[in-house]
Amino acid sequence: MIKKVLLENILFIDIETVPQKKEFQELEEQSQILWEQKSEYQRKNEISAEDFYERAGIWAEFGKIICISVGYFNIKGELRNFRVTSFTGDEVVLLKEFKSLLIEHFSQPKHLLCAHNGKEFDFPYIARRMVINGISLPYKLELFGKKPWEVPHLDTMELWKFGDYKHYTSLKLLSHVLGIPSPKEDMDGSMVKDVFYENGDIDRIVTYCELDVVTTAQVFLRLRNEDLLSEDNIKKI
């Protein structure tokens, strides 16, 4: 039961990704060919590979991470705060900084990583980008040989499925039906590429990413039937 998990042992995570290049034409020829092949099953010849490239950020082979936001509970007696921070900048640097956080503060068997749809997206994406960039995987992302119950990952979308494997629910929808106050967002996931490449506004992306981390934590609290965090209990570090 998830109520048995100590909140302070969970690291909540969200990532933001973009295509590796701003435009399709900036890719080398072989990469263009491979992208055309990779995306064919979704495009179904209804849209060109070049026009579809704006969605390349969702594939680790053609995208890159521009922000990893994390949050964790700090509990002292009756006081329960939630601390949020982010890693941005050069992808190799932010991946190494995130890895250091895991090793130094969340490497024990009791520690768990949690994200919304994390098992399908965030966790494997981070692992793949680490491998591509020549970074050895930290224990919490090394899954080879682990039995399903040994994988140190929680996924709020999976928890909401209750065994229904065909069911997808967005974080925004889930937070709405669970009565979690909607944060004031000035963007959505479809806007990240343009905000990054056209506006160069990483701070705006960080704010958006951190709001998703907080919302994921709020969803987890509701799934445990516990009181939500108040704005006063959320601290940016």
Side-chain angles (χ1 to χ4, degrees):
M1 294 179 61
I2 62 173
K3 291 199 68 127
K4 293 183 178 180
V5 180
L6 295 179
L7 290 174
E8 56 265 42
N9 290 337
I10 305 171
L11 183 68
F12 294 86
I13 297 171
D14 188 58
I15 67 174
E16 297 303 329
T17 66
V18 296
Q20 289 175 19
K21 301 292 184 180
K22 180 181 178 181
E23 303 292 346
F24 175 76
Q25 295 299 334
E26 296 179 40
L27 295 175
E28 60 173 332
E29 183 179 359
Q30 182 65 8
S31 293
Q32 291 183 12
I33 294 171
L34 291 171
W35 167 248
E36 185 173 2
Q37 294 171 349
K38 177 75 173 180
S39 61
E40 185 177 11
Y41 79 99
Q42 284 202 341
R43 293 185 293 108
K44 298 178 181 178
N45 296 320
E46 296 174 3
I47 184 172
S48 70
E50 180 175 356
D51 290 339
F52 199 71
Y53 184 68
E54 65 180 22
R55 299 187 59 186
I58 66 174
W59 283 279
E61 299 88 352
F62 295 93
K64 64 181 179 180
I65 300 172
I66 57 171
C67 178
I68 301 179
S69 293
V70 300
Y72 59 92
F73 284 92
N74 181 261
I75 301 176
K76 295 181 179 179
E78 297 297 319
L79 182 62
R80 184 171 69 177
N81 289 325
F82 189 73
R83 297 182 175 179
V84 186
T85 192
S86 295
F87 304 98
T88 61
D90 179 81
E91 186 184 41
V92 173
V93 174
L94 70 85
L95 286 172
K96 287 182 176 179
E97 290 175 342
F98 174 69
K99 177 182 175 179
S100 295
L101 172 71
L102 293 184
I103 292 174
E104 295 171 12
H105 301 288
F106 288 91
S107 62
Q108 297 181 34
K110 65 182 180 181
H111 291 135
L112 300 168
L113 309 182
C114 182
H116 189 77
N117 198 31
K119 291 186 177 182
E120 289 289 329
F121 184 69
D122 303 72
F123 305 140
Y125 201 111
I126 293 173
R128 289 166 184 156
R129 292 306 300 170
M130 282 186 172
V131 172
I132 289 171
N133 284 292
I135 302 170
S136 60
L137 296 179
Y139 180 76
K140 293 299 179 181
L141 292 176
E142 178 56 79
L143 305 185
F144 179 78
K146 287 190 173 80
K147 298 177 176 63
W149 56 88
E150 295 174 332
V151 175
H153 299 164
L154 294 170
D155 188 326
T156 47
M157 192 179 82
E158 182 181 72
L159 292 170
W160 181 247
K161 285 182 177 181
F162 292 99
D164 182 358
Y165 290 100
K166 64 182 183 297
H167 194 67
Y168 174 83
T169 305
S170 69
L171 180 61
K172 188 171 185 178
L173 173 58
L174 185 53
S175 62
H176 173 72
V177 300
L178 292 179
I180 297 170
S182 179
K184 295 180 180 179
E185 299 178 347
D186 68 341
M187 63 180 290
D188 59 45
S190 67
M191 301 167 61
V192 172
K193 174 181 177 290
D194 286 342
V195 172
F196 180 75
Y197 279 119
E198 300 294 341
N199 307 120
D201 194 346
I202 190 63
D203 290 338
R204 187 179 173 193
I205 293 171
V206 167
T207 298
Y208 170 69
C209 196
E210 290 182 348
L211 285 173
D212 275 355
V213 169
V214 172
T215 302
T216 301
Q218 299 280 49
V219 166
F220 191 79
L221 289 174
R222 285 286 283 113
L223 291 172
R224 287 162 56 107
N225 198 32
E226 295 184 13
D227 293 337
L228 297 176
L229 291 162
S230 69
E231 288 189 12
D232 292 338
N233 296 127
I234 301 169
K235 313 291 184 181
K236 180 175 171 61
I237 58 175

